[in-house]
Amino acid sequence: MSWLAHEWRLLARSRLALIALALLLVLSTLAVLSGTREVARQQQTIERLAGLQQHDLAAQARQYTRGGDAGSAAYYTFHSTWDAPSPTAFLALGLRDAAPYVLRVRALALQAQLHEGESFNSELAVAGRFDFAFVLVYLAPLFLIALLYDLVSGERRSGRLGTLLAMPGAGRCLWLRRAGLRAALVFACLVLPVLAGGLRSGTTMTALTTALLVTAAYLAVWSGLALIVATRSASSAANATALMGCWAVLTLVLPTIANAALARAVPVHQGVELMLAQRQAVHGAWDLPPGDTMEKFFRTHPEWKHTAPLPSGFHWKWYFAFQQLGDESVAPQVAAYREGLLARQEWTARLGWLLPSVGVQAALHRQADTDLQAQLAYQDRIADFHARLRAYYYPYLFNEVRFGAGDFAAQPRFSPSSRPAQTPMGQSLALVLIGVVALVSGAAAAGRVRSM
């Protein structure tokens, strides 16, 4: 291992290299700290709201069960739902930075409640939060470029290249071990904070292994590319310019173009449009004859068809009937909305086979359970709970059964997901394959270095 000590001594002489590595370590540490603090804040918010929910339910039980009216209890009672962050979420916060992870719902029409918080400008969330995924995708390649761009041209400029190539053991092995040491140090600066954050957060070994594999594969891509460029017979300035152009194209330009093309090829309406369509259907029901509304409701819910007819004036079962009809009226749009989102997600995963920056984010977000798939799964759990809540209240409403304190306490309660995070095998293997190809190409280029 004498070569390792020798290469380290040469690298240690460069203050700029040491400063760059120290800065990367600081940035990676800050990113992990930022992610863990955000995850801790979200967990504290969920715990605090759980206590407030119990206090709120106790107050509502005293207020809305005195008259035995189930409709009032169903209308005024809010029920908390939540999506707790996974132990790996600190690496890549994904949609948890924009989509709600706590939502209070009632037994009213669901779609308006799911999407009423979607009033922000989604373009403002494109840059994302400063987390480990951001540092890895956008900043780590810049540090590799800074450490490798003059790997050969610096020796040529100083006049040592001919002597180095004439020494025993020079050639491809020399450039590979120098580049390998620098890439290994960059890898260490990135993963040491990740390991510390994972141990603190209780991240599973599988999740940590996936994160390390994705990091190593992405660095391999950029190390191979840097070797291809740095071993050319060009000046240091030309190499730096070429590598910076590659960074801009691969991390900024092509992903942006691909995202715009995907948005045009697979158009998806905003969830706010579903909310407006559902609310229009609900509000329009006030102007329709109650008998027509109930007849339409009984077509899809015949189990309540033979209950007592509506009395004159307002009745809760008519109100909740057109609330559910409002959801059913937008069911085709909801299905199309979800299909469009999932289609975009599938094409984004396929894009990761060509663009490593996209593949890294897709893999980390899937492992962290912070991607679109996780958000839709949370909405599915809300919908399941909402359906159980309706099914609980309907016998009281349609059979006009008295609703007491015991009935209020027996209401369904939301239960969070217990499913384990999925390992992104496809995206990880794609990154490894691209990394291997890049390293082989870089090694081949390193073997063609000449003194002139």
Short mmCIF file of all heavy atoms in Angstrom, two decimals, residues 208-247:
data_model
loop_
_atom_site.label_atom_id
_atom_site.label_comp_id
_atom_site.label_asym_id
_atom_site.label_seq_id
_atom_site.Cartn_x
_atom_site.Cartn_y
_atom_site.Cartn_z
N LEU A 208 -29.63 1.63 4.00
CA LEU A 208 -28.31 2.26 3.97
C LEU A 208 -27.45 1.68 2.84
O LEU A 208 -26.74 2.42 2.15
CB LEU A 208 -27.61 2.08 5.31
CG LEU A 208 -28.01 3.03 6.44
CD1 LEU A 208 -27.25 2.68 7.70
CD2 LEU A 208 -27.76 4.47 6.05
N THR A 209 -27.53 0.37 2.66
CA THR A 209 -26.75 -0.25 1.58
C THR A 209 -27.20 0.27 0.23
O THR A 209 -26.37 0.55 -0.66
CB THR A 209 -26.92 -1.78 1.63
OG1 THR A 209 -26.48 -2.25 2.91
CG2 THR A 209 -26.11 -2.45 0.54
N THR A 210 -28.50 0.43 0.05
CA THR A 210 -29.01 0.98 -1.21
C THR A 210 -28.51 2.40 -1.43
O THR A 210 -28.08 2.76 -2.54
CB THR A 210 -30.53 0.96 -1.22
OG1 THR A 210 -30.99 -0.38 -1.04
CG2 THR A 210 -31.09 1.50 -2.52
N ALA A 211 -28.55 3.22 -0.38
CA ALA A 211 -28.08 4.60 -0.51
C ALA A 211 -26.59 4.65 -0.85
O ALA A 211 -26.16 5.44 -1.70
CB ALA A 211 -28.35 5.37 0.78
N LEU A 212 -25.79 3.79 -0.21
CA LEU A 212 -24.36 3.77 -0.51
C LEU A 212 -24.09 3.27 -1.92
O LEU A 212 -23.21 3.78 -2.62
CB LEU A 212 -23.64 2.87 0.51
CG LEU A 212 -23.71 3.31 1.98
CD1 LEU A 212 -22.85 2.40 2.84
CD2 LEU A 212 -23.28 4.76 2.15
N LEU A 213 -24.86 2.26 -2.36
CA LEU A 213 -24.69 1.74 -3.72
C LEU A 213 -25.03 2.79 -4.76
O LEU A 213 -24.31 2.96 -5.75
CB LEU A 213 -25.57 0.49 -3.90
CG LEU A 213 -25.55 -0.15 -5.29
CD1 LEU A 213 -24.16 -0.67 -5.61
CD2 LEU A 213 -26.57 -1.28 -5.36
N VAL A 214 -26.13 3.50 -4.54
CA VAL A 214 -26.53 4.55 -5.47
C VAL A 214 -25.48 5.65 -5.50
O VAL A 214 -25.12 6.17 -6.58
CB VAL A 214 -27.91 5.10 -5.07
CG1 VAL A 214 -28.23 6.39 -5.83
CG2 VAL A 214 -28.99 4.07 -5.33
N THR A 215 -24.96 6.03 -4.34
CA THR A 215 -23.93 7.07 -4.28
C THR A 215 -22.67 6.63 -5.02
O THR A 215 -22.10 7.40 -5.82
CB THR A 215 -23.59 7.39 -2.82
OG1 THR A 215 -24.77 7.82 -2.13
CG2 THR A 215 -22.53 8.48 -2.73
N ALA A 216 -22.22 5.40 -4.77
CA ALA A 216 -21.01 4.91 -5.44
C ALA A 216 -21.20 4.83 -6.94
O ALA A 216 -20.30 5.19 -7.72
CB ALA A 216 -20.65 3.54 -4.87
N ALA A 217 -22.38 4.38 -7.39
CA ALA A 217 -22.63 4.26 -8.83
C ALA A 217 -22.64 5.63 -9.50
O ALA A 217 -22.09 5.80 -10.60
CB ALA A 217 -23.95 3.54 -9.07
N TYR A 218 -23.24 6.61 -8.84
CA TYR A 218 -23.31 7.96 -9.43
C TYR A 218 -21.92 8.59 -9.50
O TYR A 218 -21.56 9.23 -10.49
CB TYR A 218 -24.25 8.82 -8.60
CG TYR A 218 -24.56 10.16 -9.22
CD1 TYR A 218 -25.21 10.25 -10.45
CD2 TYR A 218 -24.22 11.35 -8.57
CE1 TYR A 218 -25.50 11.49 -11.01
CE2 TYR A 218 -24.51 12.59 -9.13
CZ TYR A 218 -25.15 12.64 -10.35
OH TYR A 218 -25.44 13.87 -10.91
N LEU A 219 -21.12 8.39 -8.44
CA LEU A 219 -19.76 8.91 -8.47
C LEU A 219 -18.92 8.19 -9.53
O LEU A 219 -18.03 8.79 -10.14
CB LEU A 219 -19.11 8.76 -7.10
CG LEU A 219 -19.70 9.62 -5.97
CD1 LEU A 219 -18.92 9.40 -4.68
CD2 LEU A 219 -19.70 11.10 -6.34
N ALA A 220 -19.20 6.91 -9.74
CA ALA A 220 -18.48 6.17 -10.78
C ALA A 220 -18.77 6.75 -12.16
O ALA A 220 -17.88 6.83 -13.02
CB ALA A 220 -18.87 4.69 -10.73
N VAL A 221 -20.03 7.16 -12.38
CA VAL A 221 -20.38 7.77 -13.66
C VAL A 221 -19.55 9.02 -13.90
O VAL A 221 -18.94 9.20 -14.97
CB VAL A 221 -21.88 8.10 -13.70
CG1 VAL A 221 -22.22 8.90 -14.95
CG2 VAL A 221 -22.72 6.83 -13.67
N TRP A 222 -19.49 9.88 -12.90
CA TRP A 222 -18.78 11.14 -13.08
C TRP A 222 -17.27 10.95 -13.05
O TRP A 222 -16.53 11.69 -13.71
CB TRP A 222 -19.21 12.14 -12.03
CG TRP A 222 -20.54 12.76 -12.37
CD1 TRP A 222 -21.76 12.41 -11.89
CD2 TRP A 222 -20.74 13.79 -13.33
NE1 TRP A 222 -22.74 13.18 -12.49
CE2 TRP A 222 -22.14 14.03 -13.38
CE3 TRP A 222 -19.91 14.54 -14.14
CZ2 TRP A 222 -22.70 14.99 -14.21
CZ3 TRP A 222 -20.46 15.50 -14.98
CH2 TRP A 222 -21.85 15.72 -15.01
N SER A 223 -16.77 9.96 -12.32
CA SER A 223 -15.34 9.68 -12.33
C SER A 223 -14.90 9.19 -13.70
O SER A 223 -13.86 9.61 -14.24
CB SER A 223 -15.00 8.64 -11.26
OG SER A 223 -15.31 9.12 -9.97
N GLY A 224 -15.70 8.29 -14.29
CA GLY A 224 -15.38 7.81 -15.63
C GLY A 224 -15.43 8.92 -16.65
O GLY A 224 -14.54 9.03 -17.53
N LEU A 225 -16.46 9.77 -16.57
CA LEU A 225 -16.56 10.89 -17.51
C LEU A 225 -15.39 11.86 -17.33
O LEU A 225 -14.82 12.36 -18.32
CB LEU A 225 -17.88 11.61 -17.29
CG LEU A 225 -18.18 12.80 -18.21
CD1 LEU A 225 -18.20 12.37 -19.67
CD2 LEU A 225 -19.52 13.44 -17.83
N ALA A 226 -15.03 12.12 -16.07
CA ALA A 226 -13.90 13.02 -15.82
C ALA A 226 -12.60 12.44 -16.37
O ALA A 226 -11.75 13.17 -16.91
CB ALA A 226 -13.78 13.31 -14.33
N LEU A 227 -12.41 11.12 -16.26
CA LEU A 227 -11.21 10.51 -16.80
C LEU A 227 -11.17 10.62 -18.32
O LEU A 227 -10.11 10.88 -18.91
CB LEU A 227 -11.16 9.03 -16.39
CG LEU A 227 -10.51 8.70 -15.05
CD1 LEU A 227 -10.67 7.23 -14.74
CD2 LEU A 227 -9.05 9.10 -15.05
N ILE A 228 -12.31 10.43 -18.96
CA ILE A 228 -12.35 10.54 -20.42
C ILE A 228 -11.91 11.93 -20.87
O ILE A 228 -11.14 12.08 -21.82
CB ILE A 228 -13.76 10.23 -20.93
CG1 ILE A 228 -14.11 8.75 -20.66
CG2 ILE A 228 -13.90 10.53 -22.41
CD1 ILE A 228 -15.55 8.40 -20.96
N VAL A 229 -12.39 12.94 -20.18
CA VAL A 229 -12.08 14.32 -20.57
C VAL A 229 -10.67 14.70 -20.12
O VAL A 229 -9.89 15.32 -20.88
CB VAL A 229 -13.12 15.29 -19.99
CG1 VAL A 229 -12.73 16.74 -20.28
CG2 VAL A 229 -14.50 14.98 -20.56
N ALA A 230 -10.30 14.35 -18.87
CA ALA A 230 -9.03 14.82 -18.31
C ALA A 230 -7.82 14.17 -18.97
O ALA A 230 -6.70 14.71 -18.90
CB ALA A 230 -9.00 14.55 -16.81
N THR A 231 -7.98 13.00 -19.59
CA THR A 231 -6.83 12.33 -20.21
C THR A 231 -6.64 12.73 -21.66
O THR A 231 -5.80 12.15 -22.37
CB THR A 231 -7.02 10.80 -20.12
OG1 THR A 231 -8.31 10.43 -20.63
CG2 THR A 231 -6.91 10.34 -18.67
N ARG A 232 -7.41 13.71 -22.15
CA ARG A 232 -7.19 14.20 -23.51
C ARG A 232 -5.94 15.08 -23.56
O ARG A 232 -5.43 15.53 -22.54
CB ARG A 232 -8.39 15.03 -23.97
CG ARG A 232 -9.72 14.29 -23.99
CD ARG A 232 -10.80 15.23 -24.49
NE ARG A 232 -10.79 16.50 -23.74
CZ ARG A 232 -11.32 17.63 -24.19
NH1 ARG A 232 -11.89 17.66 -25.40
NH2 ARG A 232 -11.28 18.72 -23.46
N SER A 233 -5.48 15.34 -24.76
CA SER A 233 -4.33 16.23 -24.93
C SER A 233 -4.83 17.67 -25.04
O SER A 233 -4.69 18.34 -26.08
CB SER A 233 -3.54 15.83 -26.18
OG SER A 233 -3.04 14.53 -26.06
N ALA A 234 -5.41 18.14 -23.99
CA ALA A 234 -5.98 19.49 -23.97
C ALA A 234 -5.52 20.21 -22.72
O ALA A 234 -5.00 19.60 -21.77
CB ALA A 234 -7.50 19.44 -24.04
N SER A 235 -5.73 21.50 -22.68
CA SER A 235 -5.31 22.29 -21.53
C SER A 235 -6.27 22.08 -20.36
O SER A 235 -7.38 21.57 -20.52
CB SER A 235 -5.27 23.78 -21.89
OG SER A 235 -6.58 24.24 -22.21
N SER A 236 -5.84 22.49 -19.19
CA SER A 236 -6.68 22.37 -18.00
C SER A 236 -7.95 23.19 -18.14
O SER A 236 -9.04 22.74 -17.74
CB SER A 236 -5.90 22.82 -16.76
OG SER A 236 -4.77 22.01 -16.55
N ALA A 237 -7.81 24.38 -18.71
CA ALA A 237 -9.00 25.23 -18.89
C ALA A 237 -10.00 24.58 -19.83
O ALA A 237 -11.22 24.61 -19.59
CB ALA A 237 -8.58 26.60 -19.40
N ALA A 238 -9.50 23.97 -20.90
CA ALA A 238 -10.41 23.30 -21.83
C ALA A 238 -11.09 22.11 -21.18
O ALA A 238 -12.29 21.87 -21.39
CB ALA A 238 -9.62 22.85 -23.07
N ASN A 239 -10.34 21.35 -20.38
CA ASN A 239 -10.95 20.21 -19.67
C ASN A 239 -12.02 20.67 -18.69
O ASN A 239 -13.10 20.07 -18.60
CB ASN A 239 -9.87 19.43 -18.92
CG ASN A 239 -8.92 18.71 -19.86
OD1 ASN A 239 -9.25 18.46 -21.02
ND2 ASN A 239 -7.75 18.37 -19.36
N ALA A 240 -11.72 21.71 -17.93
CA ALA A 240 -12.70 22.22 -16.96
C ALA A 240 -13.95 22.72 -17.66
O ALA A 240 -15.08 22.45 -17.21
CB ALA A 240 -12.07 23.34 -16.13
N THR A 241 -13.76 23.41 -18.77
CA THR A 241 -14.92 23.92 -19.51
C THR A 241 -15.77 22.77 -20.05
O THR A 241 -17.00 22.80 -19.98
CB THR A 241 -14.45 24.81 -20.67
OG1 THR A 241 -13.67 25.89 -20.14
CG2 THR A 241 -15.63 25.37 -21.43
N ALA A 242 -15.11 21.75 -20.60
CA ALA A 242 -15.85 20.60 -21.14
C ALA A 242 -16.62 19.87 -20.04
O ALA A 242 -17.79 19.49 -20.22
CB ALA A 242 -14.88 19.65 -21.84
N LEU A 243 -15.99 19.66 -18.89
CA LEU A 243 -16.67 18.95 -17.80
C LEU A 243 -17.80 19.77 -17.22
O LEU A 243 -18.86 19.22 -16.85
CB LEU A 243 -15.65 18.59 -16.71
CG LEU A 243 -14.69 17.45 -17.08
CD1 LEU A 243 -13.59 17.31 -16.03
CD2 LEU A 243 -15.47 16.14 -17.20
N MET A 244 -17.62 21.07 -17.10
CA MET A 244 -18.71 21.91 -16.61
C MET A 244 -19.87 21.91 -17.59
O MET A 244 -21.04 21.95 -17.19
CB MET A 244 -18.21 23.34 -16.39
CG MET A 244 -17.31 23.50 -15.17
SD MET A 244 -18.16 23.04 -13.63
CE MET A 244 -19.48 24.26 -13.60
N GLY A 245 -19.56 21.87 -18.89
CA GLY A 245 -20.63 21.76 -19.87
C GLY A 245 -21.38 20.45 -19.73
O GLY A 245 -22.61 20.42 -19.82
N CYS A 246 -20.64 19.36 -19.50
CA CYS A 246 -21.30 18.05 -19.28
C CYS A 246 -22.18 18.10 -18.04
O CYS A 246 -23.30 17.56 -18.03
CB CYS A 246 -20.23 16.96 -19.14
SG CYS A 246 -19.31 16.61 -20.64
N TRP A 247 -21.68 18.74 -16.98
CA TRP A 247 -22.48 18.85 -15.75
C TRP A 247 -23.77 19.61 -16.01
O TRP A 247 -24.85 19.19 -15.57
CB TRP A 247 -21.66 19.55 -14.67
CG TRP A 247 -22.43 19.82 -13.41
CD1 TRP A 247 -22.65 18.96 -12.39
CD2 TRP A 247 -23.08 21.05 -13.07
NE1 TRP A 247 -23.43 19.57 -11.42
CE2 TRP A 247 -23.70 20.85 -11.80
CE3 TRP A 247 -23.21 22.28 -13.69
CZ2 TRP A 247 -24.43 21.85 -11.16
CZ3 TRP A 247 -23.94 23.29 -13.05
CH2 TRP A 247 -24.53 23.06 -11.81
#
